[in-house]
């Protein structure tokens, strides 16, 4: 699976949009971009995933560049409960492949 | 939605004893489950892939005789930490795959004293 690179930490004001970048320059054509987050002392929570089109769900939006070498997770109106470590993972969709976590981005939402 | 239940959520054991952690898929069948370990302020580290009806596949550096994995049914995988030592104290998390998506348990905090 392709390696991903994320900034180690970010801050965002409550109520503002949080934009979390991820670089995956070696991603292959059959690898999806997955985003998970982990709130302190809990199991990771699925947020969203996409292949090449932008995606939106009730939690977030995922913007993938046309060359697929990077993406941005957008939390449109961040709340204090969005404080967590966010992980961007490139993963092929064939079968039950291993989900390997990098260091992620520690997002802190400030009041 | 897919739910994975992990039990216990917290356990304290004495050095030299064994501890079993259970991971159940509640509303779906999981032929494959994954076990992770997480130390404070670090990311999740994949330990092994648990396959229903066959032997688990361990990641490099993980002792298979120390971390026994059993996946006897399509809804249950267990991780047994044998002869636990203080350095095994960690946060253990399981995950199950369902149609390309991955659902995680809430984790087990193991403290070995």
């Amino acid at each position: 699976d392709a390696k991903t690179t994320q900034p180690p930490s970010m801050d965002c004001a409550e109520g503002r949009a949080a934009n979390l970048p991820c670089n995956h320059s070696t991603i292959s054509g059959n690898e999806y971009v997955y985003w998970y987050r982990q709130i302190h002392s809990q199991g990771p929570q699925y947020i969203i995933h996409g292949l090449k089109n932008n995606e939106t769900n009730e939690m977030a939006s995922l913007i993938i560049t046309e060359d697929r070498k990077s993406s941005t997770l957008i939390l449109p109106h961040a709340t204090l409960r969005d404080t967590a470590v966010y992980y961007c993972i490139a993963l092929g969709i064939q079968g039950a492949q291993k989900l390997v976590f990098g260091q992620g981005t520690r997002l802190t939402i400030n009041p | 939605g897919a739910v994975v239940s992990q039990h216990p959520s917290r356990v304290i054991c004495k050095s030299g004893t064994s501890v079993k952690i259970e991971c159940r898929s509640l509303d779906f069948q999981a032929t494959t489950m994954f076990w992770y370990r997480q130390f404070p302020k670090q990311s999740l580290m994949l330990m092994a892939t648990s396959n229903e009806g066959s032997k688990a596949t361990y990641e490099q550096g993980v002792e298979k005789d120390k971390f026994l994995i059993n996946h006897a049914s399509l809804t249950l995988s267990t991780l047994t930490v044998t002869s636990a030592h203080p350095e095994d104290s960690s946060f253990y998390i399981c995950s199950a795959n369902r149609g390309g998506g991955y659902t995680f348990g809430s984790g087990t905090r193991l403290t070995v004293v």
Side-chain angles (χ1 to χ4, degrees):
Chain A
D1 298 323
K3 177 181 169 59
T4 61
T5 304
Q6 300 175 252
S9 64
M10 291 183 63
D11 284 81
C12 179
E14 187 179 18
R16 304 298 293 269
N19 298 290
L20 291 89
C22 179
N23 285 322
H24 31 79
S25 58
T26 62
I27 196 169
S28 64
N30 66 346
E31 287 183 313
Y32 284 67
V33 178
Y34 277 80
W35 282 84
Y36 282 80
R37 73 180 182 184
Q38 185 181 26
I39 296 171
H40 183 62
S41 294
Q42 297 182 24
Q45 175 190 23
Y46 167 81
I47 301 173
I48 199 167
H49 75 282
L51 185 62
K52 54 183 178 181
N53 296 322
N54 297 337
E55 302 287 345
T56 295
N57 63 21
E58 65 279 4
M59 289 183 68
S61 295
L62 174 61
I63 308 298
I64 303 174
T65 58
E66 194 168 337
D67 63 7
R68 300 187 72 241
K69 292 185 177 182
S70 65
S71 61
T72 301
L73 177 75
I74 302 172
L75 307 179
H77 305 288
T79 70
L80 297 179
R81 287 179 293 181
D82 291 322
T83 292
V85 179
Y86 288 76
Y87 296 97
C88 166
I89 303 168
L91 185 70
I93 201 66
Q94 298 168 351
Q97 300 192 27
K98 300 183 291 187
L99 202 61
V100 178
F101 288 79
Q103 294 307 305
T105 295
R106 183 172 297 277
L107 175 67
T108 302
I109 307 300
N110 300 306
Chain B
V3 177
V4 171
S5 173
Q6 190 171 340
H7 179 80
S9 59
R10 189 179 297 268
V11 58
I12 300 173
C13 72
K14 293 184 177 181
S15 288
T17 62
S18 296
V19 174
K20 180 185 286 188
I21 302 170
E22 293 186 348
C23 181
R24 294 181 184 273
S25 56
L26 296 187
D27 52 357
F28 67 102
Q29 294 180 333
T31 56
T32 303
M33 293 185 177
F34 304 90
W35 286 96
Y36 295 82
R37 179 168 56 178
Q38 186 175 33
F39 292 109
K41 299 190 183 300
Q42 294 187 22
S43 184
L44 287 81
M45 185 194 78
L46 181 65
M47 299 175 66
T49 301
S50 171
N51 303 297
E52 188 268 335
S54 65
K55 292 183 179 180
T57 304
Y58 291 82
E59 295 299 304
Q60 190 173 8
V62 178
E63 301 175 58
K64 62 180 181 181
D65 294 330
K66 180 168 184 62
F67 299 100
L68 300 180
I69 291 173
N70 183 277
H71 195 155
S73 79
L74 288 171
T75 59
L76 174 64
S77 175
T78 61
L79 168 68
T80 300
V81 183
T82 64
S83 187
H85 291 284
E87 56 265 32
D88 297 323
S89 297
S90 188
F91 191 53
Y92 292 86
I93 308 168
C94 70
S95 170
N97 174 267
R98 183 188 190 190
Y102 298 79
T103 302
F104 289 79
S106 55
T108 297
R109 183 156 310 280
L110 170 64
T111 303
V112 184
V113 297

